[in-house]
Amino acid sequence: DRTPRALAMERDWEEVHGLSRTDIEALQRVFNQLKNKNGLIGPQDLEKRFIRLDYEFQAVTDFGISEVEDIIWEVDEDADGFIDWHNFVTLYARARTDLKNKEPRRLFNLIDFMICDKDGGGNIDEDECLDILFKRYGKEAMEQLSDQLLKMFGRDIDYNEFLELVGNNIDGGGKIQVLLANLQNPTPPSGSKGPSGPKSARATKTPKHTPRR
């Protein structure tokens, strides 16, 4: 769809959010894999993809709806129960430049994973995963974690393992966030006292796959 309106939106995404033409083409590929015959992404469409990725989504959340419905609600600006192309790209663009973890992360995680999983096999390799981590957390942070990262990799990574690394909540909760928090607040030597001991490091964790808003 190369209408004047579509071109204007693309220019806005490029100028405001820094999305390149290559980024938009990758997003279009993923959107096409997820959308239904009406050109929208609904709960059933996300369910099918999660099943293919062996991700066990919650049938009923604390909000009384399914996890996939909750994911859609987070980014559904017109409240029609579906994600259209504009919602899709806007969510990704905002989340990618969000340094304070204020934007919804669950759909963003799925999109990032599917961008790298080009053959749809359900796995990404070490280099593809590192590329995502560098873009999210920056070169300096990843260099600080180089030793820990080497221990984590060495094989392909599936979607659930990817979520364990980056977290599936809006406030993080993944292994990378915990490692970064420990770098900023190192555990004192055994026997010493202080607020930044093992207990506070554990407090940075959140339950895996728990939806949050």
Side-chain angles (χ1 to χ4, degrees):
D1 182 6
R2 306 294 290 167
T3 64
R5 180 174 180 272
L7 291 171
M9 284 195 301
E10 286 185 14
R11 284 195 297 271
D12 180 65
W13 292 329
E14 291 172 3
E15 294 171 4
V16 177
H17 299 292
L19 292 181
S20 67
R21 182 62 197 160
T22 301
D23 293 328
I24 294 173
E25 289 174 353
L27 289 170
Q28 184 72 68
R29 173 175 55 81
V30 173
F31 185 78
N32 289 343
Q33 292 175 347
L34 291 172
K35 71 180 183 180
N36 55 35
K37 62 182 180 181
N38 296 317
L40 302 169
I41 301 171
Q44 291 183 338
D45 307 303
L46 285 185
E47 286 180 5
K48 291 176 183 177
R49 180 57 54 172
F50 283 145
I51 290 171
R52 287 185 62 178
L53 293 171
D54 291 326
Y55 173 71
E56 295 185 8
F57 54 87
Q58 294 184 344
V60 181
T61 68
D62 294 340
F63 304 103
I65 58 177
S66 70
E67 183 177 357
V68 291
E69 290 173 313
D70 195 35
I71 290 172
I72 289 174
W73 179 88
E74 289 179 328
V75 299
D76 180 17
E77 294 181 353
D78 55 9
D80 64 353
F82 294 89
I83 300 170
D84 61 19
W85 171 239
H86 181 266
N87 292 154
F88 188 80
V89 179
T90 301
L91 169 278
Y92 182 83
R94 289 176 177 172
R96 197 174 77 158
T97 56
D98 172 34
L99 301 179
K100 297 183 178 180
N101 289 327
K102 299 298 183 182
E103 295 292 336
R105 292 276 162 176
R106 289 177 290 177
L107 182 58
F108 176 60
N109 286 333
L110 177 62
I111 296 170
D112 247 356
F113 186 87
M114 289 182 65
I115 286 175
C116 289
D117 181 23
K118 295 180 178 64
D119 63 0
N123 294 281
I124 59 176
D125 64 30
E126 176 181 341
D127 289 339
E128 291 167 334
C129 187
L130 285 172
D131 184 55
I132 294 174
L133 298 181
F134 269 86
K135 288 178 179 177
R136 290 196 183 192
Y137 306 110
K139 180 180 179 181
E140 182 179 352
M142 290 301 96
E143 287 178 346
Q144 291 178 318
L145 296 179
S146 59
D147 292 340
Q148 293 94 325
L149 290 174
L150 286 173
K151 297 176 184 178
M152 293 180 184
F153 295 121
R155 57 181 175 79
D156 287 352
I157 297 167
D158 65 27
Y159 186 60
N160 288 293
E161 292 170 322
F162 174 69
L163 293 181
E164 289 178 6
L165 282 175
V166 301
N168 200 26
N169 304 320
I170 195 169
D171 59 350
K175 291 179 180 178
I176 299 298
Q177 287 91 334
V178 174
L179 290 172
L180 289 173
N182 288 342
L183 283 176
Q184 296 171 359
N185 300 289
T187 303
S190 178
S192 65
K193 297 181 180 180
S196 58
K199 183 175 181 180
S200 62
R202 288 196 299 271
T204 63
K205 295 185 179 180
T206 53
K208 186 173 66 173
H209 304 336
T210 301
R212 287 193 174 210
R213 289 205 289 267

